């Protein structure tokens, strides 16, 4: 009689499991942290494009193969999160989803790295589709897919707060002012700021709060103040029902004691917390607006092999361990972007 009773319940049990399984999977996938993982070889799927053949518009400094880089293993790596897989980038689906829309990157040359990568990934998906590629000024570049009316824009802005030039003091960063940001508009806004805050050079940098101008302010404290000012501007000026806001995380540089020269393999984790990450976490978590955080720090800490190094086209006396080869690591950032925008079960955010 017990066996008959269990057999009677069996169909109902399957129905129950079928009903809850999608929900269980959804919850599990929502908890996937894309920032924690490892680099694995994925040949022949990677690289996702041939920089010289498929993307003739990549700037010289990012096209490492054209500049003579002899090794190619760095092109074969895919980022594998521990708890899930990144969805494959589907450029046609991306363009169809954002038909008639504008996607704007705002930040320094690391944003340029990611912007050019996205333009490549979309271009190779529709290679016969007409496009325009225009660098209107040194601060504004636009890639437009005419058939889809999709614009991919990069606005060069290394600090995300106002700056002025003074003949005596040099550059003054106004930490509490975002008055000139009327050009920040689009259906998706992807912001980045970090590296310029910690550059050292011959030109002095001063920081200003209110009417007070300071030369000896700690750069880390200045970064926190400036990023907080940006976050307040976003909370006050961006309608989250109309615009998706993303913060492109801190990409690790490898200048210093261990340079990236002749590095051909990724390193292995874990790695110590990178400077500035805690500031980004704190600022984003205290915002009223929902801002997605593309946390790319660990994966870039591991990719000491992914920089142009001396293969920038500027000669062997110049070594670049801050920017990234294309094809390369920035393609993964855009796979993460794709997961956030089109594969919403995969993203991780604060």
């Amino acid at each position: 009689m017990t066996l008959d009773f269990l057999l009677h319940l069996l169909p109902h049990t399957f129905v129950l499991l079928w009903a809850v399984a999608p929900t269980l999977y959804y919850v599990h996938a929502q908890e996937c942290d894309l920032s924690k993982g490892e680099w694995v070889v994925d040949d022949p799927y990677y690289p996702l494009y041939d920089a010289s053949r498929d993307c003739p518009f990549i700037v010289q400094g990012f096209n490492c193969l054209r500049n003579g880089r002899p090794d190619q293993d760095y092109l074969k790596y895919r980022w594998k999160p521990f708890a899930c897989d990144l969805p494959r980038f589907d450029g046609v689906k991306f363009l169809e989803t954002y038909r008639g829309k504008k996607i704007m990157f705002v930040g320094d040359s690391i944003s340029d790295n990611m912007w050019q990568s996205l333009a490549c990934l979309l271009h190779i998906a529709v290679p016969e589709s007409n496009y325009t590629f225009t660098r209107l000024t040194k601060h504004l570049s636009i890639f437009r897919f005419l058939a889809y009316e999709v614009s991919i824009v990069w606005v060069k802005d290394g600090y995300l707060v106002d700056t002025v030039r003074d003949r005596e003091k040099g550059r003054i960063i106004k930490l509490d002012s975002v008055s000139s940001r009327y050009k920040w508009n689009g259906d998706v806004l992807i912001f980045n700021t970090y590296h310029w805050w910690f550059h050292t050079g011959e030109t002095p940098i001063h920081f200003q709060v209110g009417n007070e101008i300071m030369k000896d302010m700690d750069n880390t404290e200045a970064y926190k103040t400036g990023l907080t000012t940006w976050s307040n501007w976003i909370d006050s000026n961006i309608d989250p029902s109309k615009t998706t806001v993303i913060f492109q995380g801190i990409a690790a540089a490898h200048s210093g004691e261990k340079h990236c020269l002749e590095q051909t393999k990724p390193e292995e984790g874990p790695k110590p917390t990178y400077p500035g990450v805690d500031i980004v976490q704190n600022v984003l978590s205290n915002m009223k607006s929902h801002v997605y955080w593309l946390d790319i720090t660990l994966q870039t800490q591991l990719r000491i092999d992914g920089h142009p190094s001396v293969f920038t086209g500027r000669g062997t006396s110049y070594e670049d361990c801050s920017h990234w080869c294309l094809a390369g690591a920035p393609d993964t950032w855009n796979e993460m972007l794709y997961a956030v925008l089109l594969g919403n079960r995969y993203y991780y955010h604060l």
Side-chain angles (χ1 to χ4, degrees), residues 206-238:
H206 289 71
F207 300 104
Q208 181 175 349
V209 177
N211 294 321
E212 183 181 3
I213 299 177
M214 299 157 283
K215 184 179 180 181
D216 57 354
M217 185 176 186
D218 179 73
N219 290 57
T220 300
E221 188 62 31
Y223 179 60
K224 179 180 179 180
T225 304
L227 197 60
T228 301
T229 297
W230 164 83
S231 72
N232 291 336
W233 188 94
I234 294 294
D235 281 339
S236 301
N237 292 276
I238 298 298

Side-chain angles (χ1 to χ4, degrees), residues 56-57 123 126-127 129-133 143-146:
F57 40 81
H123 173 60
V126 288
S129 183
N130 291 332
Y131 66 86
T132 59
F133 178 43
F143 197 104
R144 182 172 173 81
F145 293 87
L146 302 182

Side-chain angles (χ1 to χ4, degrees), residues 17 22-23 30 67 97 102 158 195 233 259 262 271 308 322 331:
L17 288 174
T23 302
Q30 280 277 50
N67 295 328
T97 302
K102 180 197 292 185
H195 287 282
W233 188 94
H259 293 275
E262 297 181 354
K271 289 289 185 180
S322 296
D331 303 325

Side-chain angles (χ1 to χ4, degrees), residues 150-223:
V150 173
S151 297
I152 313 294
V153 181
W154 172 49
V155 175
K156 185 177 182 181
D157 193 329
Y159 296 102
L160 304 184
V161 292
D162 293 334
T163 63
V164 295
R165 290 280 184 176
D166 182 88
R167 181 173 297 180
E168 295 181 359
K169 295 183 174 62
R171 175 181 287 160
I172 300 176
I173 305 172
K174 306 178 76 171
L175 298 178
D176 57 351
S177 176
V178 197
S179 62
S180 62
R181 299 316 186 234
Y182 61 92
K183 293 182 179 179
W184 294 354
N185 60 82
D187 300 281
V188 180
L189 295 176
I190 305 163
F191 293 95
N192 165 58
T193 184
Y194 178 75
H195 287 282
W196 285 16
W197 293 89
F198 301 95
H199 277 178
T200 57
E202 297 179 0
T203 304
I205 296 177
H206 289 71
F207 300 104
Q208 181 175 349
V209 177
N211 294 321
E212 183 181 3
I213 299 177
M214 299 157 283
K215 184 179 180 181
D216 57 354
M217 185 176 186
D218 179 73
N219 290 57
T220 300
E221 188 62 31
Y223 179 60

